[in-house]
Amino acid sequence: MKLLVVGASYRTAPVATLEQLTVAPADLTRTLDRLVAQPYVAEAVLVSTCNRVEVYAAVSGFHGGLGDICAVLAEQAGAPPAALANHLYVHYDAAAVDHVFRVAAGLDSMVVGEAQILGQLRDAYHWASGADSAGRLLHELMQQALRVGKRAHAETNIDRAGQSVVTAALDLAAGLLDGDLTGRPAMVVGAGAMGSLGVATLSRLGAGPLTVTNRGADRAVRLAESYGASAVPMAELVDALCTVDIVVAATAATEPVLTRDVVTRALARRDADRGPLVLLDLAVPRDVAEGVAELAGVEVIDIDRMAAILADGPAAADAAEVTRIVTGEVEAFLSWLRGADVAPTVAALRGRADDVVTAELRRLVQRRPDFTDDQRAEVARTVHRVVQRLLHQPTVRVRQLAAEPGGDQYAALLRELFDLEVPQTSPVDTVPDVVETDAVGRPSFEVADVPVTEPDVSTGGAR
């Protein structure tokens, strides 16, 4: 099995495309089941956040795996695969490990170094484990990725630049409100993880009074009580909007919560001298409807706007140190992976030796029926001991060599020399690109349309 990453993020896709690809929590298990039901996908983890939708998969072949995953993503988006191709990126084998570790370390985040992605990866891993879609390879990958992320934050100062997306958005909001949020009335729409972070951050920055609203009133009340805020029913959204300067919208709704009509009615009752009503839309799909940004007296900061403003972060030195950590961890993981790949060959060799010993001992019994049981047992122990000693050094050495770049050739030589039958999967299969809908209605796409990062065979590294 080989690792394959297929995804889209704020770097490659606008919010509209991410909205199409986003998988709601209620649909995660179904989508994971759909992925591992594909012919070339053996394991899958699905990461779906406001900034990225990525599939981490163990596949039996590159082209087949890519086709299977793109088909499921296209089905999820309800769009022709060709429409997604320009927004998807693909990382294969070593490059896939590097990407996952960079994501875990916060190097690929909109706000470099933010730690929220670690929790999101952990949730994705736990969900895949619960759905039984993560096997041995992805269990190891995700566990190591989470460890790498924790190490990056523990051993470097990446946290200095790694403010949360909420903090970064509120910094931008402060710039629109005379540079200070102290004493500014604010509201958070949504009581999930992002909403909770919004309330906590607003409280820390001195904004207030704070109001929380959520479709589930009980969660809004509990969150508000934790920070001395007020909870209001969603039905009173317009009344609450006209009393605040900042709104953090972070719900899991599939349709916009802050529609043009809702915001227009709130603006009509709001004192225009207070300055703009700043709406921070941190949800995917969007909580703020298109067209709201066109209203006079409103400033909308959404994922697209944040990506453009935060493109050049101040964390270059810290990011370089984290990159060094990631590079070393990637090589360590690849060494483990190469060693794991040779294990079936070593097991097959020992199995062949055991078969030979067993066959010869049976012949001995037939030729020397006069041997006592004790004599037979002593001969068996002696022969097994000799074989084990003969195989010990070669098998230890082949494991060491296999852990080095290009080490897979040693396992191949063992298989050839001893004519071992070991189930193998080709790193790149020859399945042709699908260019039209097939007989079972599978969406078409061109593999060549999707940018791929895969191993450079000549160096063993990524290109």
Side-chain angles (χ1 to χ4, degrees), residues 114-136:
E114 59 94 5
Q116 190 177 7
I117 186 62
L118 262 181
Q120 293 165 335
L121 285 179
R122 184 178 61 249
D123 291 343
Y125 174 41
H126 286 171
W127 206 288
S129 298
D132 201 26
S133 66
R136 175 171 177 263

Side-chain angles (χ1 to χ4, degrees), residues 155-349:
E155 297 183 15
T156 74
N157 291 318
I158 196 71
D159 294 276
R160 292 183 307 185
Q163 56 188 339
S164 71
V165 174
V166 174
T167 304
L170 288 173
D171 284 348
L172 297 178
L176 300 171
L177 296 170
D178 301 325
D180 189 8
L181 300 183
T182 304
R184 291 278 187 174
M187 179 169 65
V188 174
V189 183
M194 188 73 80
S196 299
L197 185 58
V199 175
T201 306
L202 283 166
S203 178
R204 176 172 55 81
L205 294 175
L210 300 180
T211 303
V212 181
T213 187
N214 188 60
R215 291 191 186 280
D218 291 344
R219 294 188 67 179
V221 170
R222 288 196 299 270
L223 178 57
E225 289 177 346
S226 299
Y227 291 92
S230 301
V232 299
M234 187 69 80
E236 299 177 12
L237 181 59
V238 173
D239 295 335
L241 271 178
C242 65
T243 65
V244 300
D245 296 335
I246 311 154
V247 178
V248 176
T251 77
T254 56
E255 298 291 336
V257 176
L258 299 175
T259 63
R260 188 182 178 101
D261 176 64
V262 166
V263 177
T264 298
R265 286 191 286 141
L267 289 174
R269 297 165 51 187
R270 187 174 181 272
D271 184 358
D273 294 336
R274 295 173 56 170
L277 174 61
V278 182
L279 306 179
L280 308 183
D281 189 357
L282 305 182
V284 176
R286 275 179 276 229
D287 276 340
V288 180
E290 292 187 48
V292 170
E294 300 170 359
L295 297 174
V298 175
E299 289 283 350
V300 177
I301 299 175
D302 60 10
I303 299 298
D304 284 341
R305 185 171 176 182
M306 286 186 62
I309 294 174
L310 298 173
D312 298 318
D318 295 320
E321 180 62 17
V322 174
T323 298
R324 183 191 64 78
I325 291 174
V326 167
T327 299
E329 291 286 359
V330 167
E331 184 51 46
F333 184 86
L334 293 175
S335 294
W336 170 84
L337 198 57
R338 289 188 289 263
D341 285 344
V342 79
T345 300
V346 171
L349 178 60

